[in-house]
């Protein structure tokens, strides 16, 4: 099974990315995922289910430790051919 996760961390800071946002991005960029798209208002990543779930666990733990007060995420099952 393949999964896609979309996530944001809060609070927002439009002047410079807060530590929790940087940590969350580092987690998904370092994970063994097939695709990562980092943006100013949302991020997506996808890959094998075990890799995505491992990344989500690390993302939640590290972003909250770095000061996030809210993490919004959505996880979807994607077709094998969707990349």
């Amino acid at each position: 099974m393949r999964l896609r996760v979309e996530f944001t961390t809060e609070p927002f800071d439009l002047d410079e990315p807060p530590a929790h946002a940087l940590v969350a991005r580092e987690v998904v960029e370092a994970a063994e995922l097939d695709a990562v798209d980092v943006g100013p208002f949302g991020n997506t990543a996808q890959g094998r289910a075990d890799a995505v779930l491992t990344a989500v666990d690390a993302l939640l733990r590290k972003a909250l430790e770095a000061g996030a007060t809210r993490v919004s995420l959505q996880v979807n099952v994607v077709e094998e051919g969707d990349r």
Side-chain angles (χ1 to χ4, degrees), residues 17-55:
H20 58 79
L22 296 175
V23 166
R25 291 174 187 165
E26 288 172 6
V27 167
V28 295
E29 288 174 341
E32 294 181 21
L33 302 171
D34 300 333
V36 174
D37 183 25
V38 175
F41 299 108
N43 309 283
T44 61
Q46 77 179 39
R48 295 179 334 275
D50 59 332
V52 171
L53 295 173
T54 297

Side-chain angles (χ1 to χ4, degrees), residues 1-82:
M1 177 186 328
R2 293 180 50 75
L3 300 175
R4 177 175 42 245
V5 61
E6 301 173 40
F7 68 92
T8 58
T9 61
E10 297 178 38
F12 294 113
D13 183 340
L14 296 177
D15 294 327
E16 89 180 52
H20 58 79
L22 296 175
V23 166
R25 291 174 187 165
E26 288 172 6
V27 167
V28 295
E29 288 174 341
E32 294 181 21
L33 302 171
D34 300 333
V36 174
D37 183 25
V38 175
F41 299 108
N43 309 283
T44 61
Q46 77 179 39
R48 295 179 334 275
D50 59 332
V52 171
L53 295 173
T54 297
V56 166
D57 177 62
L59 180 153
L60 290 171
R61 292 175 189 277
K62 292 183 178 187
L64 293 169
E65 288 171 2
T69 58
R70 179 178 179 154
V71 179
S72 301
L73 62 89
Q74 178 174 316
V75 178
N76 294 320
V77 175
V78 295
E79 298 295 322
E80 287 295 325
D82 293 347

